Amino acid sequence: TVMDTRIVIVGSGISGLSAAHKLIKSGFINVRILESTARSGGRVKTGRLGDNVVEIGANWIHGPSEENPVFRLARQYGLLDPEALTPENQALDIGGNPPWVPNMFSSSGRRLTPEEFEPAEEMFGKVLNESSEFESKGGEPRATVGEYIRSEVKQQAAEEWKDVDTKTRSTRLCVISNMFKVNCCINGTHSLDEVGLGAYGLYKTLPGLDCTFPRGYEGLIENLMSELPEGLVSYNTPVKCVHWNNTEKRDEALTVECDDGERIAADHVIVTVPLGYLKKHHSALFCPPLPLHKIHSIQRLGFGTNNKIFVEFDSPWWDADCEVIHLVWDDEDEIVDQVPDIQTSWMKKLFGFTVLKPTERYGYALCGWIAGHESEYMETLSEQEVTHGITQLVRRFTGNPTLTPKRILRSQWFHDPWTCGSYTFPGKLCSAQDLKNMMEPLPKKRSQAQPLQVLFAGEATHHCFYSTVHGAVLTGWREADRLISHYSNVSPSLPKS
Ligand code: 6YU
């Protein structure tokens, strides 16, 4: 019966918590979460820069509107600013591109004029939008987003900018390189040459102007936790292996083995570990191993690194209305998103900064964004070395040799042993089928074996909202619903949710 069905959830991120929440509300009482670290939230992680809250992980609610479960929860818990709740804000359809006010700086120490960067932004935006259209045209499995944009931009620049002086045209192409780096961060990839063109359009946006949690994203986690039974989560309890389909011991068909040797018998396990962790550890984490088609999908999907470097200054070197700062290198008119020598020039990959607002709360603080292997290398440096790199960078771009950051703080998602990167993107040979394979429960066929032993949730298992918090929530609910409907067929006593 529902009362004694044993459900184990691996991972206490937002997807694991969402699954537990729904199961418990539907009457399941024998639910446990096993979490490797000492906290809940996973990639939803709020930190401090001085007295201010800053997000180490997820930053925005992407598309805060009625269809977004994170928006609905945040509203219900009273976690949002009034502006985010207005109908106007919810109706704004930005298609994933917030209309931020930019300031553009060049590596020669001057500001770029709108004449220099606006045509480049416009051209890049148009071609990027076209990149989303190959999915519906039946795909283009081999080519990448990087190759497509690069060739389209080169062709269009030659035609449309043929009467523009060489220097301005070159500067505009350098701006395009900057746009590539911005999109490496958005996609959490090393290079746009790793993002599959055929699958790029799978990602869907929701209406609503992206908003933040003024008191921190972790407020969402705390509120969810407060509605769950005490002791639900076992912390510092990494799962080492999920033993499934054990046909010898019928009553122990499924057991979860922890690092400390404890073995927990279960009827169902919901695995929510990040794709980065799965890529590295899937062969040890499952016994017997995962079916081949699932392993291939784990490999085809991409999981890269995007990190933040928060930097505080005594006074601003950007305009009062500026929301995003771009750092444009004037030797990058060949459209590049990778640096020539990571150890000496990793900081060239940092596309720039978003400005923390409001100023009354944050003072003059910026959030720098850096993706890829350059970002992974940055994680290995000491805080002093990172500070030194950032200081040199802002001095060069402002032309101000005395500019000095007050304080810095950075994330290190690649070296987090339980995440191994930041979030999912569609790799070169990816298709919609790979996301379907990711979410498919085990064992696959309705054989003699007990069905729905191992279920899969987490950001990387959502067919169109992968890489987001709302995607993760929906996958937790989906797997809870899978079990709820399974038991409402076998045991009519289950209250309908
Ligand atoms: C969003 C945003 N945002 C920035 C940065 C990052 C992410 N995301 P979890 O990892 O949370 O939980 C798993 C748990 O399992 C965890 O606690 C582990 O410790 C545990 N575990 C692991 N192994 C275990 C074991 N063996 N045993 C036991 N436990 C184990 N999302 O909505 N808005 O602004 C950002 C951002 C720096 C790192 C983000 C953002 C992603 C979300 O944070 C993430 O999806 C969810 O938190 C994941 O939850 P989960 O439960 O699945 O895993 C146009 C276009 C194109 C394409 N896409 C672009 C979209 C934009 C994506 N944007 C992200 C941007 C930022 C800036």
Side-chain angles (χ1 to χ4, degrees):
T1 67
V2 166
M3 297 290 278
D4 41 45
T5 301
R6 299 159 301 174
I7 302 174
V8 170
I9 299 170
V10 184
S12 196
I14 190 82
S15 61
L17 291 172
S18 302
H21 197 262
K22 190 152 206 159
L23 287 167
I24 288 164
K25 265 192 12 198
S26 302
F28 288 87
I29 48 171
N30 200 338
V31 180
R32 274 186 84 167
I33 301 182
L34 306 177
E35 165 58 43
S36 51
T37 69
R39 57 177 282 277
S40 284
R43 282 170 277 171
V44 171
K45 186 176 186 181
T46 305
R48 288 197 161 272
L49 182 69
D51 294 334
N52 293 308
V53 296
V54 289
E55 304 295 354
I56 310 296
N59 215 81
W60 294 282
I61 303 181
H62 289 309
S65 53
E66 215 47 56
E67 239 194 279
N68 187 323
V70 175
F71 174 71
R72 293 200 307 269
L73 288 169
R75 177 176 61 189
Q76 181 197 325
Y77 295 139
L79 300 175
L80 299 179
D81 274 337
E83 305 88 79
L85 299 172
T86 62
E88 297 76 50
N89 202 87
Q90 291 180 53
L92 252 177
D93 205 342
I94 54 160
N97 304 304
W100 291 333
V101 176
N103 279 185
M104 299 245 180
F105 291 81
S106 142
S107 54
S108 58
R110 64 179 188 95
R111 288 278 291 272
L112 297 189
T113 64
E115 216 262 313
E116 286 172 307
F117 66 81
E118 279 172 358
E121 279 190 311
E122 197 187 315
M123 185 181 288
F124 182 89
K126 213 176 76 212
V127 179
L128 183 68
N129 277 341
E130 290 165 12
S131 306
S132 302
E133 287 163 16
F134 290 88
E135 218 295 301
S136 49
K137 288 179 189 157
E140 173 88 16
R142 242 145 259 284
T144 69
V145 171
E147 291 161 44
Y148 177 72
I149 301 183
R150 195 176 287 112
S151 81
E152 283 293 308
V153 164
K154 279 190 177 160
Q155 195 180 323
Q156 293 183 22
E159 288 164 20
E160 292 172 29
W161 300 341
K162 65 176 185 300
D163 299 327
V164 178
D165 68 273
T166 340
K167 215 171 142 277
T168 305
R169 196 182 332 139
S170 160
T171 303
R172 287 181 186 173
L173 291 170
C174 295
V175 173
I176 300 277
S177 291
N178 181 264
M179 303 281 117
F180 266 66
K181 296 178 206 166
V182 171
N183 281 274
C184 287
C185 290
I186 293 174
N187 287 280
T189 187
H190 172 56
S191 163
L192 295 191
D193 295 336
E194 294 185 2
V195 182
L197 187 56
Y200 185 64
L202 290 172
Y203 181 80
K204 295 284 175 281
T205 58
L206 292 169
L209 184 62
D210 292 5
C211 65
T212 56
F213 288 75
R215 292 178 302 284
Y217 227 124
E218 261 190 52
L220 181 64
I221 303 295
E222 284 154 22
N223 277 277
L224 271 176
M225 293 290 293
S226 73
E227 295 178 2
L228 291 169
E230 204 129 324
L232 171 75
V233 187
S234 302
Y235 292 104
N236 305 305
T237 309
V239 167
K240 189 172 173 183
C241 185
V242 176
H243 300 266
W244 59 290
N245 234 5
N246 186 342
T247 43
E248 281 149 39
K249 292 191 194 163
R250 196 98 177 70
D251 52 336
E252 275 181 45
L254 181 63
T255 52
V256 178
E257 181 189 353
C258 300
D259 260 7
D260 63 7
E262 192 189 353
R263 275 175 172 259
I264 302 162
D267 299 302
H268 310 280
V269 177
I270 305 179
V271 175
T272 78
V273 302
L275 175 61
Y277 184 89
L278 269 185
K279 278 180 180 282
K280 209 166 158 183
H281 301 292
H282 70 81
S283 63
L285 190 59
F286 296 96
C287 182
L290 295 173
L292 270 182
H293 66 281
K294 209 166 183 113
I295 295 179
H296 289 152
S297 294
I298 290 171
Q299 291 165 341
R300 276 195 290 266
L301 281 164
F303 197 80
T305 304
N306 178 22
N307 275 309
K308 306 179 180 182
I309 307 175
F310 294 97
V311 197
E312 230 182 327
F313 294 91
D314 286 318
S315 55
W317 42 273
W318 52 92
D319 296 343
D321 66 345
C322 171
E323 292 169 297
V324 57
I325 296 168
H326 295 264
L327 304 181
V328 178
W329 289 84
D330 56 18
D331 60 351
E332 290 186 344
D333 62 358
E334 279 301 321
I335 315 189
V336 288
D337 61 7
Q338 300 170 59
V339 310
D341 176 13
I342 288 190
Q343 310 208 345
T344 55
S345 31
W346 60 270
M347 63 291 267
K348 278 185 96 169
K349 187 65 167 268
L350 186 127
F351 86 71
F353 306 90
T354 49
V355 183
L356 301 191
K357 301 253 168 142
T359 304
E360 306 84 69
R361 186 181 310 147
Y362 286 102
Y364 304 108
L366 302 175
C367 175
W369 297 87
I370 180 166
H373 303 319
E374 295 85 348
S375 189
E376 293 159 7
Y377 175 74
M378 178 279 294
E379 291 186 21
T380 67
L381 300 174
S382 70
E383 195 156 291
Q384 284 88 327
E385 288 169 313
V386 175
T387 306
H388 180 75
I390 296 295
T391 307
Q392 297 309 312
L393 191 70
V394 296
R395 286 183 178 174
R396 173 167 186 165
F397 278 79
T398 56
N400 176 349
T402 62
L403 205 55
T404 304
K406 269 206 318 207
R407 205 178 353 229
I408 78 149
L409 176 75
R410 39 88 192 248
S411 60
Q412 290 167 297
W413 287 105
F414 182 71
H415 288 89
D416 180 319
W418 312 108
T419 316
C420 315
S422 58
Y423 40 85
T424 301
F425 67 90
K428 262 186 214 184
L429 298 168
C430 253
S431 72
Q433 186 61 43
D434 291 310
L435 292 151
K436 286 203 188 101
N437 291 346
M438 288 298 293
M439 68 179 88
E440 189 181 79
L442 299 174
K444 191 177 179 182
K445 293 246 164 56
R446 292 224 165 194
S447 52
Q448 297 291 79
Q450 148 130 15
L452 304 183
Q453 291 179 34
V454 191
L455 302 97
F456 294 84
E459 151 288 288
T461 72
H462 197 278
H463 62 99
C464 67
F465 297 143
Y466 50 83
S467 75
T468 66
V469 178
H470 55 282
V473 169
L474 292 171
T475 64
W477 289 350
R478 179 191 68 212
E479 297 310 314
D481 276 333
R482 204 192 288 279
L483 290 175
I484 292 163
S485 61
H486 176 70
Y487 281 92
S488 61
N489 292 334
V490 293
S491 123
S493 66
L494 188 71
K496 289 262 182 291
S497 62

